Every structure is written in C-alpha cells, then in structure tokens.
C-alpha cells in the first residue's frame, strides 16, 4: 500500500509535502509530484501538509482520480527506485496521463 498524489497538485507543486516525508520518497515531475510506491513507508505525515488536499491513502483515493494511481506508479517506470528524491532533483517530464492534461489550478 502507499499514498497517492492526485489532481489538486497538478500545476501547483508547492512542495510542502516534501519537507514532511521522513524517507524522501516524494519526487518532483514537471507538473506535479509523485510518491514512490515502494519507498513510501505509509507514515501519513505528508497528507495533512498539503494545502490543497491532493494526497490520499491508496484506499481512500476518490474514484474520479483513479488514473492518478497509475500515474504515481508509472512515473517511476524509467526512474526505478532511486532511494531519495532530493538527490534526483526535479524532472522535466510527467507521466503521460498528467502531461496530457489541460492547464489546471490556475486562477
Ligand atoms: S506517507 Fe510518509 S513516507 Fe509516504 S510519501 Fe507521505 S510522508 Fe513520505
Ligand atoms: S503539498 Fe500538495 S500541492 Fe504541494 S507538492 Fe505536495 S501534493 Fe502537491
């Protein structure tokens, strides 16, 4: 099981969650952040830190955002399990599902 970042993060990515994660498993893409499903230890620390409530425990992910489960997992197809987001730094790509979304969360 893991935590999942969903649609409210897209084009926000303020990184408030990153500072809370004790295992540095929240990785930055171009338009949102992604939680590594194998590196996450399910501590839940990131969830309340998100100002837009984008983070959900896997079982609690709203059905309308099911695609974000695949996006969080699939983002790491190329990256594998680097073992730390800080050393990786921001990536200039997203999961294809996220990359194809129209501009979001803009006033
Ligand atoms: S649940 Fe804990 S380990 Fe998993 S991403 Fe959030 S802060 Fe990191
Ligand atoms: S705190 Fe929320 S909006 Fe900010 S980067 Fe993390 S998931 Fe995205």
């Amino acid at each position: 099981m893991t935590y999942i970042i969903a649609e409210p993060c897209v084009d926000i990515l303020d990184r408030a969650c990153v500072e809370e994660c004790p295992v540095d498993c929240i990785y930055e893409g171009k338009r949102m952040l992604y939680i590594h499903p194998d590196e996450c230890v399910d501590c839940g620390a990131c969830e309340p830190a998100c100002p837009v409530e984008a983070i959900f425990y896997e079982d609690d992910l709203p059905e309308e955002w099911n695609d974000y489960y695949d996006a969080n997992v699939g983002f790491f197809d190329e990256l594998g399990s680097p073992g730390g987001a800080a050393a990786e730094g921001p990536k200039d790509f997203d999961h294809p599902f996220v990359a194809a979304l129209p501009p979001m969360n803009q006033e």
Side-chain angles (χ1 to χ4, degrees):
M1 303 301 269
T2 183
Y3 277 72
I4 302 288
I5 298 180
E7 188 161 294
C9 181
V10 178
D11 295 334
I12 297 274
L13 62 172
D14 69 303
R15 302 175 53 87
C17 53
V18 172
E19 322 213 335
E20 302 300 324
C21 182
V23 294
D24 192 24
C25 72
I26 308 179
Y27 292 73
E28 186 170 352
K30 197 169 178 186
R31 296 185 65 190
M32 67 173 278
L33 277 78
Y34 303 85
I35 293 175
H36 197 297
D38 299 327
E39 296 177 2
C40 173
V41 295
D42 292 352
C43 73
C46 56
E47 186 184 353
C50 178
V52 293
E53 296 182 26
I55 305 176
F56 297 88
Y57 186 57
E58 182 177 334
D59 281 351
D60 299 329
L61 183 68
E63 207 177 322
E64 65 191 290
W65 291 333
N66 274 346
D67 287 336
Y68 288 87
Y69 177 84
D70 293 336
N72 277 247
V73 173
F75 180 73
F76 298 98
D77 283 351
E78 276 183 45
L79 290 177
S81 188
E88 280 293 312
K91 298 299 171 190
D92 67 351
F93 62 89
D94 283 291
H95 184 273
F97 168 76
V98 174
L101 292 169
M104 313 274 281
N105 295 313
Q106 286 168 355
E107 297 294 320

